[in-house]
Each structure stands twice: as structure tokens, then as C-alpha cells.
Amino acid sequence: GYSISITHPHHRFDLPFLTLSAVVDTDNLPNTIVFPFLIKKDFEGIIPEDTPIAQILPFKREEWDSEKSNFDGTTLNGTDIIKQGYIRTYKHKFWNKKSYR
């Protein structure tokens, strides 16, 4: 019931390559995952050992239903909530402590 999202390492524009993004159902995959990437045009040399090549985010696959609603102008949107206080707004109003097992 788990998949992974594979993407280029976040905020690593300095790397000499670009890892292509994908979602893989790892629990059904019998083979090793291959990370396709594109080498930057001007790069020459060897990519150093321990260079991050991909960011992997596991997630549980679950069925869900999307919903839509009409905006009536009376509900605060995210921008309005954040404008109410700039200092640590995300941490105090939106962030939740995570538990990893």
C-alpha cells in the first residue's frame, strides 16, 4: 500500500544533473529502482561520491474523493490568514508535529 515520489533533491540547483521525477509503487516492483537523470550541457568530470541524486518521499496510497466549492467572499483564504501576523505564522498556525516510526 505504499508508493514513493522520486524527485531532484530540493533546492540543489548546484548539482551537475537533473533527476527526473516519478511516482513508483514500490510494493509491487520486483526490480531495483533506476533513477533517470539528465547531465547538464557544460559538465565535464566525475560526480563526487556521496552526492545526493534523488529525494525520495514515501506515502501511503489511499482512495479519496475530491471536493469543490464556490468562493463566496466571506471565507478567509490562506493569504489573509498569513497577513494577520508575519512572525512564525506557519509554525504557530499551520505546522503539526510529526511522528516517524
Side-chain angles (χ1 to χ4, degrees):
Y2 284 86
S3 296
I4 60 171
S5 171
I6 302 167
T7 189
H8 185 78
H10 293 177
H11 307 291
R12 290 300 308 266
F13 307 110
D14 60 315
L15 296 175
F17 55 85
L18 175 66
T19 305
L20 302 179
S21 298
V23 172
V24 179
D25 295 340
T26 50
D27 52 353
N28 297 323
L29 186 68
N31 299 352
T32 303
I33 298 172
V34 177
F35 299 99
F37 59 91
L38 305 171
I39 298 286
K40 290 184 179 175
K41 193 174 193 176
D42 298 339
F43 177 73
E44 289 185 19
I46 297 173
I47 297 172
E49 185 177 11
D50 294 330
T51 299
I53 61 168
Q55 183 138 1
I56 301 172
L57 304 165
F59 62 92
K60 184 166 179 57
R61 292 189 309 272
E62 298 176 322
E63 291 195 23
W64 54 277
D65 294 320
S66 64
E67 296 178 8
K68 70 175 187 171
S69 61
N70 294 322
F71 179 69
D72 61 7
T74 61
T75 306
L76 290 177
N77 65 29
T79 304
D80 294 331
I81 292 170
I82 290 173
K83 284 180 184 175
Q84 292 175 0
Y86 286 106
I87 300 173
R88 293 184 212 79
T89 300
Y90 172 76
K91 180 178 179 183
H92 293 300
K93 293 189 177 199
F94 304 104
W95 179 80
N96 293 303
K97 182 172 178 64
K98 281 90 176 162
S99 174
Y100 302 100
R101 295 180 260 150

